[in-house]
């Protein structure tokens, strides 16, 4: 007796299998993305220094900016010591949480099939992979909007969870205000809640106790930020993006256009361009068109508002393209959804034609994901304009470090960075000047001009084409 298709194991549990594979893909690409850059950028080194220096003494100052990420990075350094992995680990963890939040959000707004296809493209996009492996707070620009949208959406559907979800939303909004420029995205989302009729009606009917709990948790969350701004008024300007904003509009627009639309050249930057692959960008633009046509729905209204404000910020802060990531992913889902709906509408009563339409879609998704990961990995490995912005000196030093080594590095940012090693190895000394009467292992980072009686025993090199002699070892 023939079995029906819907009784087959793989068909019956197709979505569970799909979710599992996508989550596995998420974990694999995040774990593997850290190997692409083979080192740390200057931004990651700066972030590591500020995270390590975070303490109660400087907490109530501009050092409080991005403190949730700094706190995670500080604990990572304390537990694992200074290494490329410990610097990037907080971003990897937050990126995995962001991937799960994106899965949950897409499931609330789209059908399971659309969710799986969109998530497969999103987690392999160079934009997401870069933030997932970067030891800087950039991943927060993806995580915070996701959590705000997700908790807000869950509140509208979880009638018996108001007293949990409203405080969680308030905490997320409060923490997001510690990150520069996030106040603009939060403001537009609050305006959406007030101006959209359905959302406005829902907010008016929320239990008063849940609103009170939300206000209290929000106040407690932002209390350290308020105290910090009172001690250091300049913190307000930094949160508003004073040091990031540029009013050279034409140059900014050129930079944005180059980052998104140039597919045959690479900018001299630590970030590989283009931000999105051409097929994904085409689907995103199509999604923007569809949302504009259906702009009165809550989903389209919120996504368009968020995307518009993010795009407006890019005009003044062209290098903060992380802000556009979440609306872009939602537009991508809308584009895929509409594309499949249009195909299905051509063959409403022909299941074979409907299934046949999935074949090119699946091929497109697999090709996009594979090409995106390949472009990301080989781009950061082999593109000179990008690869030169990353240094693996800390890995080379760690491989040749002995318990009583002396590390010599010039004063400046790198000196403060290598001083963190002393927390991990109490007998290791990091100095900016050549020590006298040295009797132990000496490591000189990035300089061959040394005066010591110890003989030069080895020169440790990197894979770079220029300045490859990174560590000089005297014993």
């Amino acid at each position: 007796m023939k079995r029906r298709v819907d009784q087959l194991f793989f068909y019956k549990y197709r979505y569970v299998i799909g979710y599992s594979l996508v989550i596995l893909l998420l974990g694999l690409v995040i774990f593997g993305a850290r190997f692409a850059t083979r080192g740390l950028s200057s931004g990651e080194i700066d972030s590591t220094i500020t995270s390590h220096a975070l303490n109660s003494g400087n907490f109530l100052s501009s050092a409080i900016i991005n403190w949730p990420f700094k706190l995670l990075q500080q604990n990572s350094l304390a537990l694992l010591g200074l290494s490329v992995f410990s610097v990037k680990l907080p971003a990897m963890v937050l990126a995995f949480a962001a991937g799960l939040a994106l899965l949950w959000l897409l499931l609330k707004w789209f059908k399971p099939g659309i969710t799986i296809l969109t998530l497969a493209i999103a987690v392999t996009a160079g934009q997401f992979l870069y933030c997932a492996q970067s030891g800087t707070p950039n991943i927060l620009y993806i995580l915070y909007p996701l959590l705000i949208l997700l908790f807000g959406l869950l509140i509208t559907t979880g009638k018996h969870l108001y007293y949990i979800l409203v405080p969680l939303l308030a905490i997320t909004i409060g923490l997001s205000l510690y990150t520069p420029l996030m106040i603009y995205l939060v403001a537009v989302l609050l305006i959406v809640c007030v101006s959209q009729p359905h959302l406005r009606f829902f907010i008016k009917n929320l239990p008063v106790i849940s609103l009170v709990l939300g206000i209290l948790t929000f106040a407690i969350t932002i209390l350290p930020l308020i105290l910090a701004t009172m001690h250091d008024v300049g913190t307000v300007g930094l949160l508003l993006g004073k040091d990031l904003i540029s009013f050279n509009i034409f140059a900014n627009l050129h930079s944005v256009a180059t980052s998104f639309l140039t597919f045959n050249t690479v900018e001299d930057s630590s970030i590989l361009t283009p931000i999105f692959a051409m097929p994904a960008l085409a689907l995103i633009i199509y999604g923007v068109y569809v949302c504009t046509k259906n702009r009165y729905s809550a989903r389209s209204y919120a996504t368009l508002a968020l995307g518009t404000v993010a795009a407006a910020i890019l005009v003044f802060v062209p290098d903060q393209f992380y802000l556009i990531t979440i609306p872009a992913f939602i537009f991508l889902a809308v584009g895929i959804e509409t594309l499949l709906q249009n195909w299905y509408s051509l063959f409403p009563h022909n299941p074979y034609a409907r299934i046949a339409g999935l074949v090119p879609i699946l091929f497109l998704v697999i090709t996009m994901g594979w090409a995106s990961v390949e472009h990301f990995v080989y781009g950061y490995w082999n593109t000179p304009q990008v690869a030169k912005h990353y240094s693996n000196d800390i890995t080379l030093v760690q491989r040749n470090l002995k318990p009583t080594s002396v590390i010599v590095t010039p004063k400046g940012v790198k000196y403060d960075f290598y001083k963190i090693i002393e927390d991990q190895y109490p007998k290791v000394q990091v100095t900016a000047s050549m020590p006298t009467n040295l009797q132990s292992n000496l490591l000189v980072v990035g300089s061959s001009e040394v005066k010591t009686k110890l003989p030069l025993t080895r020169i440790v090199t990197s894979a770079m084409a220029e300045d490859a002699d990174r560590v000089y070892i005297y014993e």
Side-chain angles (χ1 to χ4, degrees), residues 3-72:
R3 298 179 62 186
R4 293 187 338 187
V5 174
D6 58 0
Q7 292 178 336
L8 297 175
F9 176 83
F10 287 105
Y11 183 85
K12 189 175 181 180
Y13 296 99
R14 63 193 184 280
Y15 293 132
V16 175
I17 295 172
Y19 299 147
S20 302
L21 290 176
V22 169
I23 293 175
L24 177 62
L25 175 65
L26 172 66
L28 289 176
V29 296
I30 289 175
F31 183 79
R34 68 189 180 93
F35 296 106
T37 59
R38 297 185 178 184
L40 301 175
S41 65
S42 59
E44 291 174 297
I45 292 174
D46 291 338
S47 176
T48 304
I49 294 170
T50 56
S51 297
H52 179 261
L54 186 67
N55 55 55
S56 57
N58 63 6
F59 192 71
L60 297 180
S61 66
S62 60
I64 202 172
I65 293 175
N66 288 320
W67 76 264
F69 182 87
K70 291 178 180 178
L71 195 60
L72 286 175

Side-chain angles (χ1 to χ4, degrees), residues 271-317:
I271 301 169
L272 187 67
T273 56
I275 304 304
F276 294 107
M278 188 179 295
L281 185 61
L283 286 171
I284 290 169
I285 294 173
Y286 184 47
V288 173
Y289 168 73
V290 174
C291 284
T292 304
K293 287 179 60 179
N294 305 320
R295 58 186 175 276
Y296 297 109
S297 69
R299 184 184 75 183
S300 296
Y301 190 76
T303 308
L304 283 171
L306 192 63
T308 301
V309 171
I313 294 174
L314 286 180
V315 174
F316 300 96
V317 192

Side-chain angles (χ1 to χ4, degrees), residues 45-323:
I45 292 174
D46 291 338
S47 176
T48 304
I49 294 170
T50 56
S51 297
H52 179 261
L54 186 67
N55 55 55
S56 57
N58 63 6
F59 192 71
L60 297 180
S61 66
S62 60
I64 202 172
I65 293 175
N66 288 320
W67 76 264
F69 182 87
K70 291 178 180 178
L71 195 60
L72 286 175
Q73 197 167 54
Q74 186 183 61
N75 288 321
S76 178
L77 294 170
L79 290 173
L80 304 176
L82 180 63
S83 66
V84 173
F85 178 71
S86 64
V87 170
K88 294 179 181 289
L89 181 60
M92 295 166 60
V93 172
L94 295 178
F96 189 79
L100 296 180
L102 180 60
L103 171 63
W104 199 349
L105 178 66
L106 292 176
L107 279 174
K108 301 298 289 186
W109 268 343
F110 301 93
K111 293 180 180 179
I114 305 298
T115 297
I116 293 173
L117 294 175
T118 304
L119 197 64
I121 297 174
V123 300
T124 54
Q127 167 82 329
F128 181 81
L129 292 176
Y130 172 78
C131 292
Q133 62 77 47
S134 177
T136 63
N138 294 330
I139 187 63
L140 298 179
Y141 291 109
I142 294 178
L143 181 63
Y144 284 144
L146 265 176
L147 293 180
I148 293 173
L149 288 173
L150 178 60
F151 288 142
L153 190 57
L154 290 176
I155 288 172
T156 63
T157 57
K159 295 182 179 180
H160 304 293
L161 298 174
Y162 293 147
Y163 304 108
I164 299 175
L165 293 173
V166 172
L168 284 176
L169 176 61
I171 291 172
T172 304
I173 292 175
L175 291 177
S176 70
L177 297 180
Y178 287 80
T179 299
L181 302 174
M182 273 302 301
I183 188 171
Y184 302 113
L185 298 188
V186 171
V188 73
L189 290 175
L190 293 177
I191 292 172
V192 167
C193 292
V194 174
S195 58
Q196 216 280 336
H198 173 72
L199 297 176
R200 184 171 63 246
F201 175 80
F202 184 84
I203 292 173
K204 287 182 179 179
N205 291 276
L206 279 174
V208 176
I209 297 179
S210 66
L211 291 175
V212 172
L213 286 174
I215 293 171
L216 287 176
T217 52
F218 176 76
I220 294 171
T221 304
I222 66 168
L223 181 60
L225 183 61
I226 294 173
L227 295 176
T229 55
M230 292 174 61
H231 283 78
D232 185 357
V233 181
T235 304
V236 177
L238 295 176
L239 292 172
L240 294 175
K242 181 189 70 173
D243 289 355
L244 302 173
I245 292 175
S246 168
F247 291 98
N248 191 346
I249 305 300
F250 291 106
N252 295 346
L253 290 175
H254 178 268
S255 177
V256 171
T258 301
S259 299
F260 284 90
L261 302 176
T262 302
F263 294 89
N264 58 351
T265 60
V266 179
E267 292 291 300
D268 188 358
S269 169
S270 62
I271 301 169
L272 187 67
T273 56
I275 304 304
F276 294 107
M278 188 179 295
L281 185 61
L283 286 171
I284 290 169
I285 294 173
Y286 184 47
V288 173
Y289 168 73
V290 174
C291 284
T292 304
K293 287 179 60 179
N294 305 320
R295 58 186 175 276
Y296 297 109
S297 69
R299 184 184 75 183
S300 296
Y301 190 76
T303 308
L304 283 171
L306 192 63
T308 301
V309 171
I313 294 174
L314 286 180
V315 174
F316 300 96
V317 192
D319 58 340
Q320 296 294 317
F321 49 82
Y322 328 103
L323 296 166

Side-chain angles (χ1 to χ4, degrees), residues 256-433:
V256 171
T258 301
S259 299
F260 284 90
L261 302 176
T262 302
F263 294 89
N264 58 351
T265 60
V266 179
E267 292 291 300
D268 188 358
S269 169
S270 62
I271 301 169
L272 187 67
T273 56
I275 304 304
F276 294 107
M278 188 179 295
L281 185 61
L283 286 171
I284 290 169
I285 294 173
Y286 184 47
V288 173
Y289 168 73
V290 174
C291 284
T292 304
K293 287 179 60 179
N294 305 320
R295 58 186 175 276
Y296 297 109
S297 69
R299 184 184 75 183
S300 296
Y301 190 76
T303 308
L304 283 171
L306 192 63
T308 301
V309 171
I313 294 174
L314 286 180
V315 174
F316 300 96
V317 192
D319 58 340
Q320 296 294 317
F321 49 82
Y322 328 103
L323 296 166
I324 204 75
T325 304
I326 297 310
F329 286 165
I330 299 174
F331 289 136
L332 175 66
V334 172
I336 295 174
E337 178 186 52
T338 310
L339 196 64
L340 285 176
Q341 287 176 349
N342 291 339
W343 175 261
Y344 290 159
S345 66
L346 296 175
F347 308 96
H349 304 296
N350 189 338
Y352 299 102
R354 292 165 65 92
I355 294 174
L358 287 176
V359 175
I361 294 294
L362 288 174
F363 178 77
L364 175 65
V365 170
I366 293 172
T367 303
M368 288 172 61
W370 180 265
S372 181
V373 172
E374 192 175 49
H375 175 257
F376 178 82
V377 173
Y378 289 110
Y380 279 98
W381 277 3
N382 301 321
T383 307
Q385 301 95 316
V386 178
K388 70 180 184 180
H389 291 277
Y390 291 87
S391 168
N392 68 335
D393 288 357
I394 181 61
T395 302
L396 301 178
V397 168
Q398 291 279 17
R399 288 175 182 173
N400 295 277
L401 199 62
K402 294 182 179 180
T404 58
S405 293
V406 176
I407 301 173
V408 178
T409 183
K411 275 282 188 180
V413 173
K414 293 292 182 69
Y415 173 79
D416 295 332
F417 178 71
Y418 284 105
K419 285 292 285 185
I420 302 175
I421 292 179
E422 293 182 346
D423 293 343
Q424 185 180 1
Y425 302 97
K427 294 185 179 181
V428 170
Q429 179 186 355
V430 178
T431 178
S433 57

